[in-house]
Amino acid sequence: MGSTGEQALEINDRKPSGIRFVEYIKGSAISYKTYQALVLIVTYFAYLAYHTTRKTTSIVKSALDPQSPGPDTNAPFSWRRAYSHQPFESTKNSSVLGAGWSPFNGPDGTELLGELDVAFLFVYAVGMFFSGHVGDRVDLRVFLFVGMVGTGLFTALFGVGYWANIHIFSYYLVVQMLAGLFQSTGWPSVVAVVGNWFGKKKRGLIMGVWNSHTSLGNIIGSVAASILLKYGWGWSMVAPGLGIAFVGMVLFFLLPVSPESVGAVVEDDELSSSKKVQEEIRQPLLETEADAKDAVGFLQAWGIPGVAPFALCLFFAKLVAYTFLYWLPFYISHTVIEGRYLTDEESGNLSTMFDVGGVVGGILAGHISDRLEARAITAASFMYCAIPALFLYRSYGHISMTINITLMLVTGMFVNGPYALITTAVSADLGTHSSLKGNSRALATVTAIIDGTGSIGAAIGPLLTGYISAKSWNAVFTMLMVSALIAGLLLTRLVVAEVAAKIQGPGTQELPTSRPPLPEA
C-alpha cells in the first residue's frame, strides 16, 4: 500500500502544474475523456501557432522588396501583355508599395528573399529528421515549450531589425535559420502526444478537424501580419513571435504528454488501440542500432514498395505548395488586379483564400481516398488537376477580384489535397506494409523519409522562385505546372497497380487500407 501511495504521489508531482491546479479547484481527478479533449485543444493551438509564425515572412516580403513590374495601370486590359510578365526593374509604385528595406529593395532583392526561404526550410527539413529522435528521449512537454519559445524569440528578432535599423543580410539569414531549427520541433512532437491518447478507431473525423490547424495558422498569420504592416513591418514579426511564446507557456502548464504521465485510467475500449498507437508513433525518427536492433534501417525503408514514389511525389508537391505559401502575397502585390495594385494588407488577406481551398482539398482528398481505397489514384488525380488550375490562375486571375478568389480557392484545393494525403494516410499505410512482416517500428523511419524528402522540395521551390521571378512570373508558373506533372507521373506505377486491383476485386490491394489518416505535417 505504501508503495502504491508513493507511486501516486510521484505521478501527481509529474503532472503539469496547471492540471494540478484544476484538480485542486475541482476537488477530483480529471477524467480520461477530459484529458483527450485537453490534448486536442492544446496541441491544435500549438501547431496553429507554429504555422502562424511561419507564414508572416511571406507577408513582410512585399514591404521589404516593394518593386513593381511597372505596367501602365491606365492602359486597356490586354491578356497577352498581362500574361507575358516583364522583368523587374527599379521602378516602384511608391504610393502603394513603399520604399522597401535595404538590402532587400535593391535589384537582387527577390534573390535575397529566396535565400532566406531556402535557409529556413533546409534547416527545418534537416531538423525534422532529428527532432523525433531527441523528443523521444526527453519530456515532450518541455521539448515543445523550448521549441515554441525559441521560435518566438527568433521570429521576433527578425522584426527587431526594423527598430534597430539593421540592414545586414547575414543577420536576417542567421535568424531565419535558427527559427527553422526551432520550428522543426513542432510536428513530430504534437503527433507523438496525440498518438499517445487516441486509438486508430476514433481518429477519422477528429483528426480531419484537427488537421485544419495548418491552414488556419497560415490564414491567421497572413491576416495578422497584413494588418500590422501599416504600423511598421517589424510588428508583423514581433507580434506572432510573442504569440507563440505565450501559447508555449500555456502548453507547458497544461499539456499531458501521455496517460501514464498523469495517471489517467485508460478506458477498456481504448486500451489495446492506445498501446498499439504508442508503439507505432512514439519511435524516434532516426534510431541507432543500440536503440533498436530490429528497427528498419534508413536504406531498407527506401526499399519498401511505394515509399520512393510517394516520397519523390511529395518532393514536387511540396515544392508547389510552399512556393505559394512563401510567395503568393508577394506575387499578388506585384500583379495588377482590376487595373490596380493591391496594398500589402489587401494582398495578404487575399492570399488566405489559397489556404481556405487547402482545407477543403485536404479533407476531400482524404475522404475520396477512403471511399475508393486508392491513395495513389487520388493523389495523382489531384496533381494533374492542379496543372490547369495553375494555368488558369496565372492567365485570368488578374481580370477581376471574383475570378482571382475563385481560381485561388480551386488551386489551393488541388495543390494541398495530395500534399495533405501523402503526409498523413499514405505514411501510415507504408509504415505497416506487409513486406515488413509485422515490424511496426518502420512507421517513424518511413515518415521521416517521406516528410524529409518533401521538405527538401519545399526549400528548393521558394529558392528557385526568388531567382526566376526576377525575370518572369510566367516562368515561375511554368515551373510549378511541370512540377505538378512530374509529381503525378511518379505515381503512375502505383496507379496502374491500384486500377488492376480494382478490376480483380476487393482484397487484392496492399497500399490502400481503411486506416484513418494521421495529422498533416
Side-chain angles (χ1 to χ4, degrees):
M1 294 294 292
S3 176
T4 303
E6 292 176 0
Q7 184 178 12
L9 288 175
E10 182 180 352
I11 292 176
N12 187 67
D13 291 339
R14 291 204 310 264
K15 290 182 180 180
S17 56
I19 291 179
R20 294 203 303 269
F21 178 76
V22 171
E23 289 182 336
Y24 174 78
I25 298 297
K26 183 181 177 182
S28 61
I30 296 176
S31 68
Y32 189 84
K33 290 188 179 296
T34 301
Y35 273 124
Q36 287 183 311
L38 182 62
V39 166
L40 284 178
I41 293 172
V42 174
T43 55
Y44 183 93
F45 282 100
Y47 207 65
L48 181 148
Y50 272 105
H51 263 266
T52 298
T53 56
R54 197 178 304 178
K55 180 65 177 178
T56 54
T57 307
S58 66
I59 303 300
V60 170
K61 281 180 180 177
S62 56
L64 298 177
D65 179 23
Q67 294 182 346
S68 165
D72 184 4
T73 56
N74 296 320
F77 172 77
S78 168
W79 181 91
R80 181 182 299 274
R81 183 183 68 249
Y83 189 70
S84 301
H85 183 92
Q86 298 299 318
F88 280 13
E89 297 176 0
S90 59
T91 57
K92 297 183 177 64
N93 189 340
S94 299
S95 62
V96 176
L97 299 171
W101 190 265
S102 176
F104 304 105
N105 60 350
D108 59 346
T110 53
E111 289 90 340
L112 294 178
L113 291 173
E115 290 174 10
L116 287 183
D117 290 341
V118 76
F120 174 93
L121 290 169
F122 265 124
V123 173
Y124 174 78
V126 174
M128 278 284 291
F129 285 98
F130 295 97
S131 289
H133 184 80
V134 176
D136 198 55
R137 287 157 173 76
V138 299
D139 187 337
L140 284 174
R141 179 171 59 93
V142 176
F143 190 56
L144 274 169
F145 171 71
V146 172
M148 296 179 76
V149 172
T151 297
L153 172 64
F154 290 104
T155 301
L157 284 176
F158 192 102
V160 167
Y162 174 76
W163 292 284
N165 200 31
I166 298 175
H167 298 277
I168 303 173
F169 175 70
S170 58
Y171 169 82
Y172 298 101
L173 182 67
V174 172
V175 166
Q176 278 292 83
M177 292 174 68
L178 292 173
L181 178 63
F182 282 99
Q183 279 268 355
S184 68
T185 61
W187 173 239
S189 300
V190 295
V191 171
V193 172
V194 173
N196 289 338
W197 286 94
F198 290 91
K200 292 179 180 177
K201 291 182 179 179
K202 298 184 178 181
R203 279 187 180 179
L205 179 60
I206 294 176
M207 290 297 111
V209 175
W210 190 83
N211 280 344
S212 65
H213 51 41
T214 298
S215 295
L216 184 58
N218 292 339
I219 293 171
I220 293 175
S222 297
V223 173
S226 299
I227 293 175
L228 292 171
L229 273 181
K230 66 181 69 174
Y231 304 107
W233 64 261
W235 286 113
S236 297
M237 302 296 292
V238 171
L242 294 175
I244 190 174
F246 174 77
V247 175
M249 287 188 287
V250 173
L251 177 145
F252 181 78
F253 288 112
L254 290 177
L255 181 66
V257 172
S258 66
E260 295 80 8
S261 68
V262 292
V265 179
V266 184
E267 299 173 5
D268 293 338
D269 61 340
E270 293 280 348
L271 182 59
S272 60
S273 60
S274 177
K275 288 183 177 179
K276 185 177 180 182
V277 170
Q278 291 178 35
E279 292 175 358
E280 290 183 347
I281 292 184
R282 293 201 66 207
Q283 307 300 326
L285 294 182
L286 293 176
E287 298 191 58
T288 63
E289 294 182 1
D291 295 327
K293 295 181 180 179
D294 297 328
V296 174
F298 188 80
L299 295 179
Q300 183 183 354
W302 271 103
I304 298 173
V307 169
F310 273 112
L312 295 174
C313 174
L314 187 62
F315 176 95
F316 291 99
K318 267 197 168 184
L319 186 153
V320 178
Y322 269 69
T323 296
F324 270 87
L325 174 68
Y326 279 92
W327 285 97
L328 184 57
F330 185 86
Y331 168 75
I332 293 173
S333 68
H334 292 69
T335 301
V336 177
I337 300 177
E338 291 186 335
R340 72 180 184 91
Y341 288 105
L342 302 184
T343 65
D344 294 338
E345 180 178 352
E346 290 173 329
S347 299
N349 291 336
L350 179 58
S351 70
T352 61
M353 292 298 102
F354 181 82
D355 291 298
V356 174
V359 173
V360 176
I363 296 174
L364 188 61
H367 176 70
I368 293 174
S369 69
D370 284 341
R371 292 295 297 270
L372 296 179
E373 294 187 344
R375 310 295 195 201
I377 292 175
T378 304
S381 298
F382 269 68
M383 292 311 305
Y384 290 139
C385 290
I387 297 172
L390 288 164
F391 177 81
L392 292 173
Y393 180 71
R394 171 58 179 161
S395 302
Y396 302 104
H398 44 69
I399 294 178
S400 72
M401 190 67 69
T402 300
I403 294 177
N404 191 293
I405 291 174
T406 302
L407 293 176
M408 194 185 303
L409 285 168
V410 173
T411 302
M413 181 178 68
F414 287 124
V415 168
N416 282 344
Y419 159 40
L421 180 65
I422 294 172
T423 55
T424 57
V426 169
S427 294
D429 292 341
L430 295 174
T432 54
H433 196 273
S434 62
S435 65
L436 298 171
K437 300 179 180 181
N439 188 344
S440 63
R441 308 193 71 171
L443 179 58
T445 302
V446 168
T447 303
I449 289 174
I450 293 178
D451 288 349
T453 304
S455 295
I456 294 173
I460 292 176
L463 173 66
L464 293 177
T465 300
Y467 289 98
I468 298 174
S469 64
K471 304 297 187 296
S472 170
W473 279 104
N474 190 20
V476 171
F477 275 82
T478 299
M479 175 189 73
L480 298 179
M481 289 186 283
V482 170
S483 297
L485 175 62
I486 296 174
L489 291 175
L490 285 168
L491 299 180
T492 299
R493 184 176 61 83
L494 298 179
V495 169
V496 171
E498 288 182 348
V499 172
K502 287 292 182 183
I503 295 175
Q504 294 173 13
T508 60
Q509 291 174 268
E510 166 60 31
L511 175 60
T513 69
S514 59
R515 181 182 295 107
L518 298 176
E520 180 184 344

